[in-house]
Amino acid sequence: MIEIPGNVFPRRLDILLPMAKKAQGMFIEDENGRQYMDASGGAVVVNAGHGRKSIAKAIYDQILSHDYIHPTMFTTRPVEMLATRLAQKAPDDINRFYFFSGGSEANEAAIKLARQIHVENGNETKYRLIGRWKSYHGLTLGSLGAMGRTSFKTYFTPLLKENLHIPAPYCYRCAFGLTYPSCKLQCAMALDEMIENAGPETISAFIAETVPGATIAACFPPKEYLKAIAQICDHHNVLLILDEVMCGLGRTGEFFACNHFDVVPDIVTLGKGLAGGVMALSAFGVKETHFNVIKENSGVFMHGGTFSHHSVAAAAGLALIDILDQEKLVQRVKIKGERLGELLKKHLLPLAQVGDVRGKGFMWGIEIVKDKKTRMPFKRSLKIVEGIWESLFEKGYITYKSSGLAGVNGDALVIAPPFIIEDEQIQRLVMAIKSTMVEFFN
Ligand code: PMP
């Protein structure tokens, strides 16, 4: 084995990570020959499983055909075709797609695009952004400012723009202490009040994950929530940006998660699994009407990057969409996701420390609590979810963690497997989570 000099500034500074050697289908193997079931597809990315030959071939062929082409000098067939494929799957009127490399970048651009649309419509006073508490939108300063997960922002607060935030539709810990449906969706009504108080003439956009993923662990909102939000936005001429970086592309059983709610956002962002994790690829989609405002006024979206509209990444994205379509993987998520949810509920809800199991499709959250009756969380300093996650990893199961669900405290595991997971693997995974949690708390 080759000695590692150690010049990488790694993501984790607290441990030495195993060296990955091979990844195929549902599994990753390290250099010591240990196998791990990748039950979260990394960070909810590897939607079609590892080692897809058709994606590899598409990338190879594309590089030989033509590789990097600057997006202001040429357009390319894979980019044109990927935009068309996405437009065919997108809700009405979301017709124009712009490509980037990461989800943060797509959200950053969406925030800027919303502002530019207002300016070009003659609404120069509209510039402020409203997001939700306990949300995640990315690591760049704009997307970090938009998010409501305070612990991620603490070091950087002086660098960030002060945005406004409203409570998340998080029924297990309702910010208003209410219960759905008698709550009459106070969490949605809070947007109207926030806009009224701040002055509608100052608000540019509201940004939210269609289905919150990592931060409040796959908390699927009540069915009327997004419609109420969309109506409030519409009423105040506030643009609705839906972040589907994690929940889009079939993850919850619909290609676009907003299709669950019959809501058409002004701008939708995608990322993570867009090229199956093989290439860094993200996008925003925007309504044709907004695109036309830019086209007919300044004629340029004031945003540009060296690696936008990358033909090789787009070729990988097209190959990924072919796999989803040919293998009917989104329909598979819908069916198998119910099975995954049933098993998680059946085996985990009886545990004293599991407060809630919720989700949809292949995005499920297991919220861990100290006291089930009062829903009191464990103290963050105990790092409960990290401990459970590590034990599962040691046993060869990769999951995703979520923390800070209740103020700074709170723990949850997120289960978001590749869409190809087999029934037997689902069963094995659920039983491994159960036995690991039982051992952990005994
Ligand atoms: N939005 C959401 C909902 C996400 O989950 C993430 C990544 N976890 C991002 C944006 C940022 O994407 P990226 O890490 O690719 O920049």
Side-chain angles (χ1 to χ4, degrees), residues 126-376:
K126 281 185 165 286
Y127 70 97
R128 295 163 98 182
L129 184 68
I130 304 177
R132 287 192 309 217
W133 294 116
K134 304 184 199 300
S135 60
Y136 187 82
H137 296 298
L139 43 73
T140 53
L141 293 180
S143 55
L144 192 62
M147 81 156 83
R149 189 168 171 181
T150 318
S151 62
F152 279 28
K153 300 163 81 153
T154 318
Y155 282 115
F156 313 109
T157 305
L159 310 180
L160 302 176
K161 196 158 171 43
E162 273 303 319
N163 292 304
L164 304 164
H165 293 91
I166 61 166
Y170 182 17
C171 295
Y172 186 70
R173 295 187 186 282
C174 175
F176 302 92
L178 298 171
T179 306
Y180 175 78
S182 59
C183 63
K184 300 209 170 75
L185 293 175
Q186 285 309 302
C187 54
M189 296 311 127
L191 178 61
D192 189 57
E193 193 177 350
M194 175 67 84
I195 297 172
E196 291 281 7
N197 287 337
E201 70 287 356
T202 69
I203 308 296
S204 166
F206 173 65
I207 183 168
E209 287 168 77
T210 310
V211 182
T215 47
I216 51 172
C219 208
F220 198 80
K223 62 181 187 308
E224 312 89 343
Y225 171 83
L226 261 188
K227 218 161 218 161
I229 288 284
Q231 279 165 0
I232 293 165
C233 285
D234 220 34
H235 177 70
H236 294 292
N237 188 21
V238 165
L239 297 185
L240 176 60
I241 303 172
L242 288 183
D243 176 344
E244 299 207 356
V245 168
M246 186 180 280
C247 64
L249 298 162
R251 171 63 51 196
T252 61
E254 288 282 346
F255 196 95
F256 283 86
C258 55
N259 285 344
H260 285 293
F261 307 96
D262 256 338
V263 161
V264 185
D266 294 285
I267 306 172
V268 63
T269 57
L270 299 170
K272 289 195 181 274
L274 186 50
V278 176
M279 296 290 291
L281 181 64
S282 66
F284 72 54
V286 62
K287 283 183 173 171
E288 186 81 17
T289 42
H290 297 316
F291 169 80
N292 286 335
V293 169
I294 307 269
K295 191 170 178 202
E296 287 155 21
N297 287 278
S298 65
V300 59
F301 173 36
M302 223 9 112
H303 188 88
T306 305
F307 291 115
S308 85
H309 303 81
H310 199 292
S311 59
V312 180
L318 269 176
L320 184 273
I321 292 179
D322 281 342
I323 292 172
L324 295 184
D325 284 354
Q326 283 158 13
E327 299 180 17
K328 298 192 170 38
L329 289 185
V330 180
Q331 290 94 312
R332 191 169 195 278
V333 170
K334 209 177 239 173
I335 297 161
K336 302 275 179 199
E338 288 201 11
R339 177 85 187 123
L340 172 61
E342 272 165 25
L343 285 177
L344 287 169
K345 283 182 186 166
K346 178 173 162 201
H347 293 287
L348 298 177
L349 269 181
L351 303 188
Q353 296 83 10
V354 173
D356 194 23
V357 173
R358 70 250 176 170
K360 191 126 201 134
F362 275 173
M363 193 161 105
W364 285 84
I366 304 159
E367 182 152 349
I368 302 157
V369 289
K370 187 168 179 204
D371 184 326
K372 214 159 163 160
K373 252 199 201 117
T374 61
R375 304 186 177 183
M376 189 208 289

Side-chain angles (χ1 to χ4, degrees), residues 62 66 75-82 311 318:
Q62 186 54 49
H66 60 72
T75 187
T76 64
R77 289 221 172 258
V79 166
E80 294 289 339
M81 282 161 64
L82 181 58
S311 59
L318 269 176

Side-chain angles (χ1 to χ4, degrees), residues 4-13 17:
I4 308 291
N7 295 109
V8 172
F9 190 141
R11 276 288 296 270
R12 286 190 65 179
L13 310 182
L17 297 169

